Amino acid sequence: MPKHYFSHREFSFTLKDDVYIRYLSFTDQQDFEKELQKKCPHKIDLGAVYSHRPKDQKTIKSTAFLAQEKELVFDIDMTDYDDVRFCCSGADICRNCWPLMIMAVKILDRALREDFGFQHILWVYSGRRGIHCWVCDETARTLTAQGRSAIAEYLTLVKGGETVSRKVILPDKLHPSIRHAVDIISKYFLEYIVKKQDLLGDEEKWKKVIAMIPYDQLKSVLAEDFVTVGTNTSTRWAIIKQRLQNAKEKLDLYKYPYVKEEIMLQLCYPRLDINVSKGLNHLLKSPFCIHPKTGRVCVPMDPEKIDDFDPEQVPTVSGLLEELDKVDLVEDDQGKKFRDYKKTSLGRYLDIFDSFLKGLESSRKGKLIEQSDMKMEF
């Protein structure tokens, strides 16, 4: 890794009263810590690694100041699901809508690893209403804006604004990645729509769901069914599936052979902010920041244990201060005394981060050895 990697990385501080400072950069860790203590930012965002030090940006020609490298990032915000969740809205989240984030992690993590071959992926809870994904493989960090856009587009299925009823339209043959997504959603779907959201429980809700069906005749039949036969979400979902199956034999449903899957995807598939992913100059909140509104720490998540993650149980800054008061002082190699954060509730999240860093470092060393062997062959 180049020596200037850290000094050419952009940092952004959000100070008290939403004062926002971009294009900060630091010589080393000590320089960063000094400014951190001086400014006491409410939030820290990370940007790209530039051709020059970001703090010198105003003294350099715009054509020469270029973003050269940045992690491929994804931002999934619960607010973007407000049309398909009824327990919360806006920045609020709860256990009834959190399964949407669980499905998002599983779907995207599988696709990024298996479809694109990425290995070093860090998942982080944003501290309030969403999750962030940092893809840190060298091939990801050096992607062009076009390459980032292509990956983001590949992973995007739900398209259309508030006025669009049918936001997922699948082709005649399902791509394997979509099939994998449907399989993941299927494991959570019934519990989510029945117990968590009761998505077909009343007329206002079920009208939104049957509006996703591209056949007016079938919509009318289902509306009658729901009034005369179906009385709850579980029954009504079974009726939808049966009507779709029967209609394949009577209507030209082969024009849209995957209506059931389209509904499932529209209700549960990850909703990405493509602009966050495609731009090299876009900033994203740093892991381990304290969310200024909730006081929660933006902690790493283990995708293999995402089912057990509870956003309401993550450490808060006030809780950590209380815990640290009870942690004994220990000495480092230089004899300096400090309080060990790993002995607080933050410890397990630090372990996840350490494991991620070790994998990244091992990969870097492996590449250096490979390059050295190639040179020796010549």
Side-chain angles (χ1 to χ4, degrees), residues 4-124:
H4 67 263
Y5 199 88
F6 182 79
S7 62
H8 286 208
R9 164 81 75 170
E10 180 190 2
F11 288 78
S12 168
F13 286 175
T14 302
L15 309 182
K16 185 180 179 181
D17 298 325
D18 286 332
V19 176
Y20 186 60
I21 309 174
R22 277 201 71 168
Y23 297 113
L24 298 173
S25 59
F26 308 97
T27 305
D28 51 29
Q29 179 180 333
Q30 289 72 29
D31 185 26
F32 173 64
E33 289 180 357
K34 182 179 178 181
E35 194 66 15
L36 203 61
Q37 293 171 6
K38 179 182 176 182
K39 291 281 200 303
C40 286
H42 286 205
K43 183 164 74 84
I44 304 170
D45 290 283
L46 299 179
V49 177
Y50 283 86
S51 53
H52 300 76
R53 295 185 305 179
K55 65 181 179 181
D56 299 331
Q57 177 246 353
K58 290 184 179 179
T59 66
I60 300 165
K61 290 183 179 180
S62 58
T63 53
F65 185 70
L66 302 172
Q68 295 184 320
E69 191 170 317
K70 181 175 174 287
E71 295 80 8
L72 173 64
V73 296
F74 298 93
D75 183 3
I76 301 98
D77 195 323
M78 192 72 86
T79 306
D80 295 326
Y81 293 84
D82 278 355
D83 62 324
V84 293
R85 63 175 182 146
F86 296 90
C87 51
C88 306
S89 63
D92 295 329
I93 62 168
C94 70
R95 289 183 175 88
N96 288 333
C97 54
W98 185 253
L100 291 167
M101 296 292 104
I102 293 175
M103 288 183 271
V105 169
K106 293 200 170 189
I107 289 168
L108 296 177
D109 194 74
R110 187 219 63 80
L112 290 167
R113 293 180 192 277
E114 296 181 17
D115 297 354
F116 292 97
F118 296 129
Q119 297 178 329
H120 306 292
I121 302 171
L122 180 67
W123 288 97
V124 180

Side-chain angles (χ1 to χ4, degrees), residues 108 151-159 269-270 272-274:
L108 296 177
I151 292 175
E153 289 287 353
Y154 174 90
L155 295 170
T156 299
L157 283 181
V158 183
K159 300 177 182 180
Y269 189 84
L272 306 177
D273 184 341
I274 294 182

Side-chain angles (χ1 to χ4, degrees), residues 311-345:
E312 296 179 354
Q313 298 301 315
V314 303
T316 62
V317 63
S318 57
L320 285 172
L321 289 173
E322 291 179 7
E323 291 178 53
L324 282 170
D325 287 338
K326 302 173 184 177
V327 173
D328 294 331
L329 288 171
V330 295
E331 288 190 0
D332 61 16
D333 295 338
Q334 285 76 40
K336 284 187 177 182
K337 291 186 176 182
F338 66 97
R339 298 190 187 279
D340 189 355
Y341 281 84
K342 287 199 172 183
K343 292 183 179 178
T344 68
S345 57

Side-chain angles (χ1 to χ4, degrees), residues 20-272:
Y20 186 60
I21 309 174
R22 277 201 71 168
Y23 297 113
L24 298 173
S25 59
F26 308 97
T27 305
D28 51 29
Q29 179 180 333
Q30 289 72 29
D31 185 26
F32 173 64
E33 289 180 357
K34 182 179 178 181
E35 194 66 15
L36 203 61
Q37 293 171 6
K38 179 182 176 182
K39 291 281 200 303
C40 286
H42 286 205
K43 183 164 74 84
I44 304 170
D45 290 283
L46 299 179
V49 177
Y50 283 86
S51 53
H52 300 76
R53 295 185 305 179
K55 65 181 179 181
D56 299 331
Q57 177 246 353
K58 290 184 179 179
T59 66
I60 300 165
K61 290 183 179 180
S62 58
T63 53
F65 185 70
L66 302 172
Q68 295 184 320
E69 191 170 317
K70 181 175 174 287
E71 295 80 8
L72 173 64
V73 296
F74 298 93
D75 183 3
I76 301 98
D77 195 323
M78 192 72 86
T79 306
D80 295 326
Y81 293 84
D82 278 355
D83 62 324
V84 293
R85 63 175 182 146
F86 296 90
C87 51
C88 306
S89 63
D92 295 329
I93 62 168
C94 70
R95 289 183 175 88
N96 288 333
C97 54
W98 185 253
L100 291 167
M101 296 292 104
I102 293 175
M103 288 183 271
V105 169
K106 293 200 170 189
I107 289 168
L108 296 177
D109 194 74
R110 187 219 63 80
L112 290 167
R113 293 180 192 277
E114 296 181 17
D115 297 354
F116 292 97
F118 296 129
Q119 297 178 329
H120 306 292
I121 302 171
L122 180 67
W123 288 97
V124 180
Y125 169 51
S126 72
R128 191 178 190 186
R129 62 189 177 197
I131 54 179
H132 299 155
C133 175
W134 300 74
V135 186
C136 301
D137 299 62
E138 184 177 358
T139 52
R141 299 197 309 268
T142 55
L143 280 168
T144 63
Q146 290 80 4
R148 294 166 194 269
S149 294
I151 292 175
E153 289 287 353
Y154 174 90
L155 295 170
T156 299
L157 283 181
V158 183
K159 300 177 182 180
E162 293 181 5
T163 59
V164 179
S165 298
R166 188 166 170 245
K167 298 179 181 179
V168 177
I169 301 176
L170 298 177
D172 292 343
K173 292 185 179 179
L174 281 191
H175 189 281
S177 184
I178 297 176
R179 175 56 67 190
H180 283 302
V182 172
D183 289 343
I184 290 170
I185 290 171
S186 295
K187 297 174 183 177
Y188 299 88
F189 190 73
L190 265 183
E191 182 175 1
Y192 175 70
I193 69 165
V194 176
K195 295 183 180 179
K196 304 290 187 182
Q197 297 294 326
D198 193 22
L199 272 175
L200 301 170
D202 59 54
E203 186 174 354
E204 181 184 357
K205 293 177 183 178
W206 60 250
K207 276 189 173 180
K208 285 187 175 183
V209 175
I210 66 173
M212 302 173 193
I213 297 172
Y215 296 96
D216 292 337
Q217 182 181 345
L218 192 53
K219 291 179 188 177
S220 300
V221 171
L222 285 168
E224 292 179 12
D225 286 341
F226 289 175
V227 172
T228 59
V229 182
T231 57
N232 57 55
T233 292
S234 181
T235 301
R236 285 171 175 168
W237 177 245
I239 290 171
I240 287 176
K241 291 195 297 180
Q242 189 60 54
R243 287 294 190 188
L244 287 172
Q245 185 61 38
N246 294 342
K248 282 188 178 182
E249 302 171 5
K250 300 176 183 178
L251 301 173
D252 185 23
L253 264 187
Y254 289 104
K255 184 179 179 182
Y256 304 109
Y258 299 109
V259 177
K260 181 189 75 172
E261 289 80 359
E262 288 175 353
I263 294 172
M264 294 172 67
L265 290 164
Q266 184 163 331
L267 293 174
C268 299
Y269 189 84
R271 301 185 175 204
L272 306 177

